[in-house]
């Protein structure tokens, strides 16, 4: 088993956490809320990509991971105990991520912002499980 570099995920989680705390201290700031949404977007992307890299590094057939649908990837990660939640929750994160990149809508922004605390717990759980299972460089 190789070694994966978790620094980008660590940093993204820390930035998301800091942004969320600051926006909660200033709940009327749209600028802070929008910054948290942007941090959610890239933390989400790094999270599932890190999960995929981990599975590629640890499953007997790494090529199998490349052919997995997103749903199968999440289910596999969940079966391995890497995720706090299953597909039903991750599909909400995926839809939230997709909705922010196409149009800007105040109501959608509020909806996405509302799931950030839950997603932050998910991302922390993932990094904790990954670092337990695989040594850091």
């Amino acid at each position: 088993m190789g070694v994966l570099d978790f620094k980008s995920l660590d940093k993204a989680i820390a930035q998301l956490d800091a942004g969320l705390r600051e926006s909660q201290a200033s709940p009327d700031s749209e600028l802070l809320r929008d910054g948290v949404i942007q941090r959610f977007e890239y933390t989400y992307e790094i999270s599932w990509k890190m999960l995929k890299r981990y599975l590629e590094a640890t499953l007997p057939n790494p090529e199998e991971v490349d052919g997995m649908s997103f749903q199968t990837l999440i289910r596999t990660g969940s079966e391995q105990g890497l995720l706090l939640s299953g597909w039903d929750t991750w599909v909400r994160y995926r839809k939230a991520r997709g909705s922010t990149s196409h149009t800007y809508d105040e109501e959608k922004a509020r909806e996405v912002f509302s799931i950030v605390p839950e997603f932050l717990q998910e991302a922390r759980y993932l990094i904790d499980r990954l670092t337990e299972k695989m040594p850091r460089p």
Side-chain angles (χ1 to χ4, degrees):
M1 181 181 341
V3 176
L4 290 177
D5 184 354
F6 300 119
K7 286 182 211 147
S8 61
L9 183 54
D10 270 333
K11 184 176 180 181
I13 290 168
Q15 289 177 331
L16 180 59
D17 181 48
L20 185 60
R21 279 187 279 115
E22 195 166 325
S23 69
Q24 288 170 335
S26 301
D28 295 331
S29 174
E30 288 183 25
L31 182 63
L32 288 174
R33 182 201 62 205
D34 294 350
V36 168
I37 290 170
Q38 186 175 22
R39 288 177 178 194
F40 159 75
E41 291 171 350
Y42 67 76
T43 304
Y44 166 83
E45 291 294 327
I46 294 169
S47 293
W48 78 261
K49 288 176 182 176
M50 191 62 66
L51 172 63
K52 182 178 180 189
R53 285 188 202 123
Y54 173 83
L55 294 174
E56 287 171 338
T58 59
L59 290 180
N61 184 0
E63 295 79 30
E64 181 183 340
V65 178
D66 276 339
M68 285 182 181
S69 67
F70 184 76
Q71 183 175 2
T72 302
L73 180 77
I74 296 303
R75 285 194 173 142
T76 303
S78 188
E79 288 167 3
Q80 293 210 2
L82 299 169
L83 302 175
L84 188 59
S85 307
W87 170 246
D88 57 330
T89 300
W90 275 85
V91 75
R92 284 186 23 246
Y93 301 147
R94 185 176 190 166
K95 286 179 182 174
R97 168 61 179 100
S99 73
T100 62
S101 61
H102 298 296
T103 63
Y104 188 82
D105 176 292
E106 185 70 26
E107 187 176 323
K108 283 184 183 178
R110 281 195 293 272
E111 287 174 24
V112 172
F113 183 79
S114 73
I115 70 164
V116 170
E118 177 186 345
F119 176 76
L120 183 57
Q121 287 182 314
E122 186 76 52
R124 284 183 179 140
Y125 187 88
L126 173 62
I127 192 90
D128 289 347
R129 298 301 77 74
L130 291 175
T131 55
E132 283 173 4
K133 293 177 179 276
M134 183 172 272
R136 290 179 181 252

